Amino acid sequence: MESKIKVKDPELGPSRVDGRLKVTGAAKYSAEYSVKGVTYGVLVGSTIAKGTITSLDTRAAERAPGVLAVITYQNCPEIPGYHTPDQPAKGPLKIFLDNKIYFNGQPIALVVAETFERALFAGSLVKAQYNKDDHQTDLKNNLQNGIAKGKDYVRGQEDAYKTAPVKVEQEYLLPTEVHNPMELHAIIARWDADNKLTIWDKTQGVKSTQRNIANAFKIPTENVQVNAPFVGGAFGAALRTWPHEIAAVAAAKLVKRPVKLVLSRADMFTSVGYRPLTWQKIGIGATSDGKLEGITHEATGQTSVYEDFTEGVVNISQLMYASPNVNTKYKVVSLNVNTPTPMRGPGEATGAWALESALDELSYALNIDPIELRLRNHADTDPLSGKPYSSKFLKEAYQLGADRIGWSERRQQPGTLVKDGWLVGYGMGAGMFGAYRSNATVTARLQADGILVLQTAVTDIGPGTGTAMATIGAEVLGVPVEKVKIFLGDSSLPPSPTQGGSQVTSTVGAAVFDACTELKTKFKALEGGANSNDYVQLLNANKLPQLEVTTVSKGGAEMGNYAAYSWSVHFIQVLVNPVTGVVKVNKAVSVADAGHIVSPKTAASQIKGGAIMGIGMALMEEALIDHRYGRLVNNNFGDYHVPVQADIPQVEALFVNKPDPYLNPMGAKGMGEIATIGVAPAVVNAIYNATGKRIRELPVTPDKLI
Ligand code: MOS
């Protein structure tokens, strides 16, 4: 069938405004700044998972060449924020507070030395003795200890799937995944005065980091300057302020010199969160013609003993399909592990892995094409709130993707399509994520040299925020995008939200739109402005050096009447070697309904990156703990596998590219999360189609297929 949707060529649109700086190395990441008198910190981690430190011998480390300090719970400068009277019972790890150990790898010392190598060597000399307690690190053995989080959800009748004519009831396991962005988390902390501080920090939010550091050290917020003009990926790992950042700031106070702390790749596995290992059970039932009668979704994820991390794992089952009966339960189990944190598509990516697998299983039980099954249960209004959608073009997305992958070649009978000795299979999975808009402030200035300057505090962690903002500004004012200069990732700039939750293009883009519209109005009001768009000539004629506005932009109140989501559909063709069980992803097509696509090139990269992450989730990623010691065994890139070039085909990114009429003036919706939500089940569903083997425990390594 021919698609009737016109697609904007994803190769059109401006290239990355920071592309040249990045590929030439001119873009500086937080650890790359030369700060006068800088010293180097290295963390030392515990080697037990639970207990107390009984003695800590730091003498050899302190005497080692070039060492300035060994900071432990015994000598760490007081962190006043740890001692305010309103401390909750559970919360973020308070680094170097006392001798208690909650997880293996928990920092017990920070060595500061004149060079990194000397700090690293001295770290090896720190000797700890422990009083060890029995630890628990295995979720599968502790499912009975789950504590319910949030309210159980019931729509219609509970467990209605049980009495449906056709049903599937299965369990799905997602292992722990670690964000592992290319850029290691790093901070340089420099005290400029007793209560004044500059940091160069890997963070997704300079304003939130500014607040968190100020609160921890009880200094005025404006006295903390946070710089993060370039961020080398994050995926959620830099959403919050972590203990190592507090430790570096405390250390700089102690040694009275700037301290640079770059986490090692191994530290990244225990210091900056992860997508938690999660057990799920889905019961799903339908009439014999494929109308859903009920979905029951239970999930239990792991968290640390000192802090509860929760995410919306089961929400997608409440939202995605028009089932009259849905009930969900969500629990967490406290284990001797570090606290998880949001990772791209937090909750929904985990939930979609189970839901979209179960739906695929149901499609075979019904002998109905998986796309057809989804169309028969398409939600025309939001099943949770009953509200109309602000926009939803999911049906178009199914069609676009099916056409592009060649879905008509798929065989309904698994294991029957063979090419050159490889089993061929097709699979699909869908995703959704809330489309949001919050508040942001943007300064827009048109200068006499013709340059449009845009300033706002938001960080660009890689999705192309700067490029999208420059594009919006250029379009509103009708100037070439090459004439736009954008400044971001700096806490002294006008406030913007943290980069996260797929809301930055909508929120900050709207603020850029508003500021540039206001600027345009100001030009119109100038002498001669009514008849000219030549801003430079207008400035000159009116003897003005520049024209500038600062605009506060807020989310639209009318959104209360609508349910706003972005949608995605992912199509995968796999080749499976029947002898070795090796899986090759041969084709990947991801389609997004993300409203109007503001910046096609960076948007396509965003979608491709999400697909690659989902392929990694399906086939490779798994952080493994040796439960005898409660210690991670694959905390490095040799043993923790992520996809490399050779694992990934040319991923095609397609967009429905129809504006959302309500969310913001551009009609844009977010796409950071939906890029990865639904990809992993699409891969696993394709493997089933190729082999007839249903794998319900990720990742699908070859041993599970032979
Ligand atoms: Mo994200 S998990 O929106 O950084």
Side-chain angles (χ1 to χ4, degrees), residues 444 473 476-477 510-524 549 551 665:
V476 172
L477 282 162
V512 169
F513 183 96
D514 289 349
C516 291
T517 304
E518 202 180 319
L519 188 59
K520 199 171 169 177
T521 308
K522 258 186 133 171
F523 270 104
K524 285 262 171 273
V549 298
T551 306

Side-chain angles (χ1 to χ4, degrees), residues 137 139 173-179 269 273-278 302 337-338 340 343 620-625 632 634 640 698-699:
T137 51
L139 179 75
L173 200 82
L174 181 80
T176 288
E177 281 192 293
V178 183
H179 308 70
F269 283 74
Y274 54 90
R275 192 193 303 282
L277 177 66
T278 303
Q302 71 177 42
V337 294
N338 55 311
M343 179 168 168
M620 295 170 202
E621 295 200 43
E622 177 176 32
L624 287 164
I625 293 175
L632 280 162
N634 61 343
Y640 181 96
L698 294 181

Side-chain angles (χ1 to χ4, degrees), residues 479-682:
V479 300
V481 75
E482 297 74 33
K483 294 272 183 198
V484 184
K485 252 184 121 165
I486 182 142
F487 293 89
L488 35 71
D490 175 335
S491 61
S492 67
L493 294 174
S496 257
T498 292
Q499 172 85 254
S502 299
Q503 60 147 317
V504 163
T505 299
S506 172
T507 299
V508 186
V512 169
F513 183 96
D514 289 349
C516 291
T517 304
E518 202 180 319
L519 188 59
K520 199 171 169 177
T521 308
K522 258 186 133 171
F523 270 104
K524 285 262 171 273
L526 289 181
E527 183 74 41
N531 308 312
S532 171
N533 282 333
D534 187 338
Y535 304 119
V536 173
Q537 187 265 324
L538 283 171
L539 287 174
N540 290 337
N542 287 273
K543 298 200 167 40
L544 292 167
Q546 61 186 42
L547 215 48
E548 179 180 296
V549 298
T550 295
T551 306
V552 182
S553 187
K554 299 196 168 169
E558 72 276 13
M559 282 311 291
N561 300 325
Y562 297 95
Y565 302 97
S566 295
W567 308 88
S568 61
V569 194
H570 310 280
F571 289 85
I572 296 285
Q573 186 209 54
V574 292
L575 306 177
V576 182
N577 187 302
V579 179
T580 63
V582 163
V583 176
K584 280 201 234 174
V585 176
N586 196 46
K587 282 190 198 174
V589 176
S590 283
V591 193
D593 165 18
H596 170 70
I597 303 305
V598 164
S599 172
K601 219 183 231 184
T602 55
S605 290
Q606 175 81 324
I607 293 295
K608 290 173 191 179
I612 293 166
M613 189 176 253
I615 293 168
M617 180 195 266
L619 300 179
M620 295 170 202
E621 295 200 43
E622 177 176 32
L624 287 164
I625 293 175
D626 181 336
H627 296 297
R628 292 173 301 171
Y629 310 105
R631 193 169 173 85
L632 280 162
V633 292
N634 61 343
N635 54 355
N636 59 76
F637 275 168
D639 298 314
Y640 181 96
H641 294 172
V642 295
V644 297
Q645 298 288 4
D647 298 314
I648 300 295
Q650 188 68 43
V651 179
E652 293 193 68
L654 304 179
F655 299 105
V656 179
N657 200 15
K658 287 188 181 173
D660 183 293
Y662 304 108
L663 193 58
N664 53 58
M666 301 82 62
K669 299 191 281 189
M671 67 176 73
E673 325 290 337
I674 56 161
T676 211
I677 298 166
V679 177

Side-chain angles (χ1 to χ4, degrees), residues 204 235-236 239 342-346 461 499-502 673:
Q204 289 172 242
F235 315 114
L239 282 172
M343 179 168 168
R344 200 174 199 175
I461 64 172
Q499 172 85 254
S502 299
E673 325 290 337

Side-chain angles (χ1 to χ4, degrees), residues 119-156:
L120 191 64
F121 172 67
S124 73
L125 304 175
V126 173
K127 295 287 175 256
Q129 305 283 327
Y130 301 96
N131 195 349
K132 235 198 275 186
D133 293 329
D134 288 338
H135 61 260
Q136 293 294 331
T137 51
D138 191 350
L139 179 75
K140 280 188 252 181
N141 286 346
N142 284 279
L143 285 173
Q144 72 283 2
N145 298 326
I147 306 288
K149 290 288 163 188
K151 267 183 86 172
D152 290 355
Y153 172 80
V154 183
R155 173 161 89 232

Side-chain angles (χ1 to χ4, degrees), residues 318-401:
Q318 304 163 10
L319 295 164
M320 191 82 198
Y321 299 106
S323 175
N325 305 297
V326 175
N327 60 294
T328 65
K329 286 186 206 308
Y330 174 66
K331 295 178 181 171
V332 296
V333 175
S334 297
L335 298 174
N336 294 108
V337 294
N338 55 311
T339 310
T341 213
M343 179 168 168
R344 200 174 199 175
E348 274 80 357
T350 303
W353 142 239
L355 178 65
E356 293 295 290
S357 290
L359 210 68
D360 199 66
E361 298 203 43
L362 184 66
S363 76
Y364 288 94
L366 289 160
N367 197 26
I368 295 176
D369 178 285
I371 302 174
E372 179 56 32
L373 178 60
R374 283 166 176 81
L375 288 171
R376 287 185 197 178
N377 295 287
H378 183 266
D380 297 323
T381 53
D382 179 29
L384 187 67
S385 66
K387 289 178 185 177
Y389 294 114
S390 61
S391 62
K392 181 179 183 181
F393 301 105
L394 182 57
K395 287 182 183 170
E396 288 87 337
Y398 289 139
Q399 184 70 63
L400 278 170

Side-chain angles (χ1 to χ4, degrees), residues 60-138:
E62 278 158 2
R63 283 198 302 265
V67 171
L68 299 164
V70 180
I71 298 156
T72 69
Y73 76 93
Q74 291 163 328
N75 65 343
C76 186
E78 178 169 281
I79 295 155
Y82 286 177
H83 303 288
T84 49
D86 52 349
Q87 296 294 316
K90 283 189 165 189
L93 180 74
K94 296 187 172 94
I95 194 166
F96 306 145
L97 180 74
D98 56 29
N99 65 345
K100 292 196 181 63
I101 299 297
Y102 304 104
F103 65 91
N104 209 317
Q106 178 184 326
I108 58 167
L110 173 63
V111 180
V112 181
E114 294 287 355
T115 69
F116 169 71
E117 290 76 9
R118 288 185 154 179
L120 191 64
F121 172 67
S124 73
L125 304 175
V126 173
K127 295 287 175 256
Q129 305 283 327
Y130 301 96
N131 195 349
K132 235 198 275 186
D133 293 329
D134 288 338
H135 61 260
Q136 293 294 331
T137 51
D138 191 350

